[in-house]
Amino acid sequence: MEDLNESFEDLISRRFKAGIYSLSRTYKHELLWAHYASEHTGFCIEYDLETLVKDNIYQDFFHFSVDYAKSPPIIRMNDLKNGEANQLIRKLAGTKSKSWAYEEEIRIVSDEAGRQDYDYSAVESIYFGLRMPEQKKKVIMDRMKGRGINYYQINLKDDSYKYEREPVCDIYDDATAYLFEIPTEKNQQSSEYEIVEKTYKQYADKGMITVQLPKKITENQLSQIAHDIKEKVFQRASRVFMTYYLPHMKYGEGAWATTHYKSDYFDISIKGLTITQEERIINELQNETRNFIGKWIDETPFLSCGLVLYQKNGDIFLERIYPNGDKSEKQKIASQTSQGTRYDDSETNTHGEYIVVKENGVLKFYSPDGVFKTLKPF
């Protein structure tokens, strides 16, 4: 009896909390357009059901096709005793009168009613109703631009009441991919970033995103990207942590920058050189007249700096120029190898590390295990 009461209470609880989203398998039935699309002046959205249901980051959905019957379903004691809440909800909410069979309905059930976030890529196509104004079509295309959506116009077949669809040209077909445009600043060309990975840890209500940048951007641009992703991907998460990588960086080995949301707190941290710091180092070195062997920028997180190898009075030095302007240098001893010119510390190096400058100016860092860092010259 205790199990029966528990099942009944669970069912009642789910009944008042659950949300149901009703869809159809068809876009062709005239009554659907008349009832649900403002008498043919509205539109129909086509989803990829698997993406819509399975890729939700906040909660699990379950879905089912509606059954059409002559009479309502009967809930029996065995249903409460042996059935799970989802099965009971399906029995209660998954049956309609045969008169509604033309709808070919699918229902998606969520644990909570109200607005639900979903992967925007689940939207595959939009169908415009017979009498939808042209201006409204343009508004929809503008709102949905950059998402790779297909558009169709619903028309009546000649000498028939049946509907057919005709492709409609997307007037924003050349728009930058949705969500991936880096906000432009003065004297900059537009460019795109890529969301490489996104995960949601429900127990911590925390979203985590890895972003691939095509180049360095300003702190203001980082802030705008972070706010955009937070709003469109993890709007409801109380914490969102994002890592940003430059093209030459390997994921998981230290990011160029991070942003972090925690309730009302927002933080930006650039682990490498900023655009301004890099420009200052490069300009400083370009204005010098030392006998340079090579010049490089090292973007290793927390260790970022400018590197110069130069010759003075017959000796060779490797100098590091740090973001705050400080400098350090070590004397090196050169030797020729088949790989290029090798430079070892003039003092004993207990770690067995050395550097090699190849003929094309590329700088490689070696340890006993092999190459662990490669830098291109500027």
Side-chain angles (χ1 to χ4, degrees):
M1 191 67 180
E2 185 177 338
D3 291 340
L4 184 62
N5 287 335
E6 186 176 325
S7 296
F8 184 73
E9 289 174 1
D10 186 26
L11 175 62
I12 296 300
S13 175
R14 292 286 300 277
R15 163 67 178 80
F16 288 103
K17 291 181 179 179
I20 297 177
Y21 188 34
S22 294
L23 304 170
S24 173
R25 293 186 181 277
T26 181
Y27 63 86
K28 295 182 178 181
H29 203 288
E30 60 185 293
L31 288 181
L32 293 176
W33 285 97
H35 292 163
Y36 305 119
S38 299
E39 297 182 348
H40 306 274
T41 63
F43 58 93
C44 168
I45 302 173
E46 179 182 1
Y47 295 101
D48 178 278
L49 187 60
E50 183 173 351
T51 302
L52 183 64
V53 173
K54 293 186 178 180
D55 289 350
N56 186 272
I57 59 177
Y58 292 110
Q59 59 179 296
D60 293 328
F61 293 154
F62 76 96
H63 67 284
F64 50 83
S65 296
V66 170
D67 295 324
Y68 300 97
K70 293 181 179 179
S71 57
I74 298 174
I75 303 299
R76 304 183 186 280
M77 294 293 288
N78 283 339
D79 292 322
L80 292 172
K81 185 176 180 180
N82 302 320
E84 296 181 354
N86 285 357
Q87 295 173 335
L88 290 170
I89 288 176
R90 177 172 183 173
K91 193 168 186 179
L92 284 171
T95 305
K96 294 175 69 172
S97 166
K98 282 185 174 291
S99 300
W100 296 96
Y102 68 87
E103 289 189 338
E104 299 182 43
E105 186 175 351
I106 296 174
R107 289 186 168 180
I108 299 174
V109 179
S110 60
D111 291 334
E112 298 177 2
R115 172 178 169 174
Q116 304 292 333
D117 296 293
Y118 63 88
D119 190 328
Y120 75 90
S121 65
V123 178
E124 290 193 334
S125 305
I126 292 179
Y127 299 76
F128 301 130
L130 279 170
R131 294 192 288 273
M132 187 175 196
E134 289 297 322
Q135 183 57 35
K136 287 188 177 180
K137 297 176 188 177
K138 293 179 181 178
V139 170
I140 290 174
M141 288 184 178
D142 182 37
R143 295 281 182 88
M144 307 299 284
K145 62 187 176 185
R147 305 191 195 198
I149 293 174
N150 299 311
Y151 295 99
Y152 298 97
Q153 176 64 52
I154 294 297
N155 293 316
L156 281 171
K157 290 184 177 181
D158 292 339
D159 301 321
S160 172
Y161 289 119
K162 293 183 178 180
Y163 289 160
E164 62 181 1
R165 68 179 190 180
E166 292 185 6
V168 176
C169 180
D170 183 358
I171 59 176
Y172 297 99
D173 185 52
D174 59 349
T176 302
Y178 172 73
L179 200 66
F180 299 147
E181 184 174 10
I182 295 176
T184 56
E185 295 189 349
K186 188 176 181 180
N187 299 325
Q188 284 189 339
Q189 292 183 338
S190 62
S191 55
E192 300 175 16
Y193 62 90
E194 178 185 359
I195 295 179
V196 178
E197 184 180 18
K198 61 180 180 181
T199 57
Y200 176 70
K201 299 184 181 297
Q202 190 168 9
Y203 68 89
D205 193 21
K206 180 179 181 180
M208 301 180 69
I209 289 183
T210 301
V211 176
Q212 175 68 63
L213 297 173
K215 59 184 179 181
K216 287 185 181 180
I217 58 178
T218 66
E219 188 170 309
N220 183 52
Q221 289 172 309
L222 269 177
S223 176
Q224 292 183 64
I225 290 175
H227 289 304
D228 199 31
I229 294 176
K230 172 70 167 65
E231 177 67 22
K232 295 175 181 175
V233 180
F234 285 117
Q235 186 180 62
R236 295 191 298 167
S238 61
R239 300 171 62 196
V240 180
F241 185 75
M242 307 181 202
T243 53
Y244 303 83
Y245 289 82
L246 297 175
H248 59 279
M249 291 180 163
K250 294 182 179 179
Y251 304 134
E253 295 186 3
W256 172 69
T258 62
T259 56
H260 187 202
Y261 285 90
K262 186 177 180 181
S263 298
D264 295 331
Y265 170 81
F266 176 65
D267 175 67
I268 295 177
S269 177
I270 297 180
K271 315 297 183 182
L273 294 172
T274 65
I275 293 176
T276 302
Q277 290 168 340
E278 181 177 339
E279 289 177 347
R280 178 181 56 77
I281 291 173
I282 291 175
N283 290 336
E284 177 183 329
L285 293 175
Q286 287 178 337
N287 292 327
E288 290 190 13
T289 57
R290 284 186 283 178
N291 185 13
F292 290 114
I293 297 172
K295 296 177 282 188
W296 306 268
I297 293 292
D298 185 353
E299 289 289 358
T300 304
F302 302 106
L303 300 173
S304 298
C305 62
L307 283 172
V308 293
L309 196 63
Y310 71 97
Q311 195 167 15
K312 180 180 179 182
N313 298 328
D315 294 322
I316 298 172
F317 299 90
L318 179 67
E319 181 180 80
R320 297 178 184 271
I321 306 172
Y322 299 102
N324 63 359
D326 290 346
K327 299 178 182 180
S328 66
E329 66 178 22
K330 281 188 176 181
Q331 188 173 349
K332 297 289 183 178
I333 298 175
S335 60
Q336 294 299 319
T337 71
S338 59
Q339 300 169 327
T341 305
R342 171 172 170 165
Y343 297 90
D344 291 273
D345 291 346
S346 60
E347 300 176 356
T348 302
N349 185 333
T350 57
H351 300 293
E353 295 178 352
Y354 60 92
I355 60 174
V356 171
V357 179
K358 302 180 74 67
E359 288 186 5
N360 59 3
V362 170
L363 175 62
K364 290 183 176 290
F365 289 75
Y366 286 82
S367 72
D369 297 325
V371 178
F372 66 89
K373 187 190 302 184
T374 301
L375 303 178
K376 294 181 180 180
F378 67 85

